[in-house]
Structures are given as C-alpha cells and as structure tokens.
Amino acid sequence: MLVTIPDLLTKEQVSEAKTLLEAAEWIDGRATAGYQAAKTKDNQQIPEGHPATKQVGETILRALGQNPLFMSAALPLRIYPPMFNRYSGGQNFGTHVDGAIRQFPGSPVRIRTDLSATLFFEEPENYDGGELCVEDTYGVHRVKLPAGSLVLYPSTSLHHVTPVTRGTRLCSFFWLQSMIRDDGQRSLLFDLDLGIQRLGGELSGNEAAEKIAVQFTGVYHNLLRQWAEM
Ligand code: NI
C-alpha cells in the first residue's frame, strides 16, 4: 500500500527547514548505503547527528505524531530519526530494496523497516526528474509530491529515484517499524478506520446507526489487539 500524506509540514515549516538544510554540510550519500545499494546510489546527504538534521527531524517527528492520517496508515511503533538527501546534475538512485534492519545512530535500539517514507522539500516545478518509482504487483508507481507532502510505501518494495536533470530535489527520508508488520493486515485496518471515520461523519443524530459504528470500532480495536506487536 502506498499512502500520500498531503501537507504534513506547512509552507513556513518547509521554508525554515530548507534554510537550515541548505546551510548544512553535505557528503556523498554512499556513506550510509549497504554494499548493493552503494553501486547504484548517487546523491548527497547530511551526516547523521548534524544539528540541522536533528532540528528539522524533530519538526518532522512532531508533525507526524499530530497527523491522524499518518498515524492511521502507519500505526508506528518506532520511527528512525529522519535523514536528508539531495539530487542534482543528473544524480539518481538505481533500483534497490532498503535494508531490513537499521540501528539507531549511537544507540543499541534497532528497528525492522516495515515502511519507508519520503518527504519532499522542493516544489515539483522547480526540478526535472527526481521521481520516486515504487514497484509492486500492480506495476510501477511514480511519486513526485508538492513541498511539505510525504509518501509512505512498504520497505519490501523495489524502488528507484530517476535522474534529476534540472534544479535540485531535496527530501527527507526515514523508515519506521509498524505495530502491524504485515502490509496486508495494516491496509485492512487503515481501510476499516477510514470507513468508520466516514460513517461517523454521516450519522449524527441517528442512534441505531451510531451503535453500529461503535460495533465496527470494537472490531477495529479487537483486530489491532490480535495483530499488534509492541
Ligand atoms: Ni531506498
């Protein structure tokens, strides 16, 4: 399941973040790539632990925690500290799969990467190329979102970033471990949650129908109780 979270950050937050990120030190992105990915990765990153990374990362984590669509779609258990990359002058990232396990920098904490996230910081018209292409059994999904919007996709997917031939693509990327490991189960819960919310909006004043909505909410929580890993 591929989910878009529109306007995770406001335009002001995006602009403040860009100022901080553009002034930071940038290094070869291969520094954090595994053996396979290093052969196809060509971009720049800010080193992990850099003050700009921490500051903007905290803004992102706060926004995620307050975003009902993200919480419902991801059911996050642990979120890896956001990292940042940029592509320009034809840079790209060939087809790869993200590593299954990541260790938090400077900590013994590890996560299983269930979901990968890309948050866009540049408006799409300001650069050519730089599409995130995610492969699943329904084909290839091409994603290039407005500044401040985020895409979530299963970390199990093969994916690549097309060459940036004009301008600069600036993004944050990170992974998370979900309370629900299986993408199919997580999608079912997300659909059920969206349905219950829509039902809630239609029902006000109809007592019998409101009772049915409570019953479906019970089913949602009982499925979550069966499937959640903490
Ligand atoms: Ni990747």
Side-chain angles (χ1 to χ4, degrees), residues 29-30 32-42 92-99 158-159:
R30 278 174 280 243
T32 55
Y35 173 74
Q36 283 285 334
K39 288 191 273 186
T40 56
K41 186 176 185 183
D42 179 18
N92 69 102
F93 197 162
T95 303
H96 66 281
V97 67
D98 294 342
L158 288 172
H159 55 276

Side-chain angles (χ1 to χ4, degrees), residues 40-59:
T40 56
K41 186 176 185 183
D42 179 18
N43 65 9
Q44 287 192 307
Q45 283 176 201
I46 302 179
E48 285 178 298
H50 189 286
T53 301
K54 280 194 176 158
Q55 195 174 337
V56 182
E58 278 164 21
T59 304

Side-chain angles (χ1 to χ4, degrees), residues 120-160:
F120 292 76
F121 279 96
E122 194 60 69
E123 297 296 351
E125 61 271 21
N126 293 346
Y127 59 102
D128 290 335
E131 291 169 312
L132 171 67
C133 300
V134 182
E135 297 175 27
D136 72 10
T137 49
Y138 290 95
V140 178
H141 306 270
R142 307 172 80 85
V143 186
K144 185 171 175 179
L145 299 177
S149 295
L150 174 133
V151 63
L152 270 178
Y153 59 99
S155 303
T156 48
S157 338
L158 288 172
H159 55 276
H160 66 276

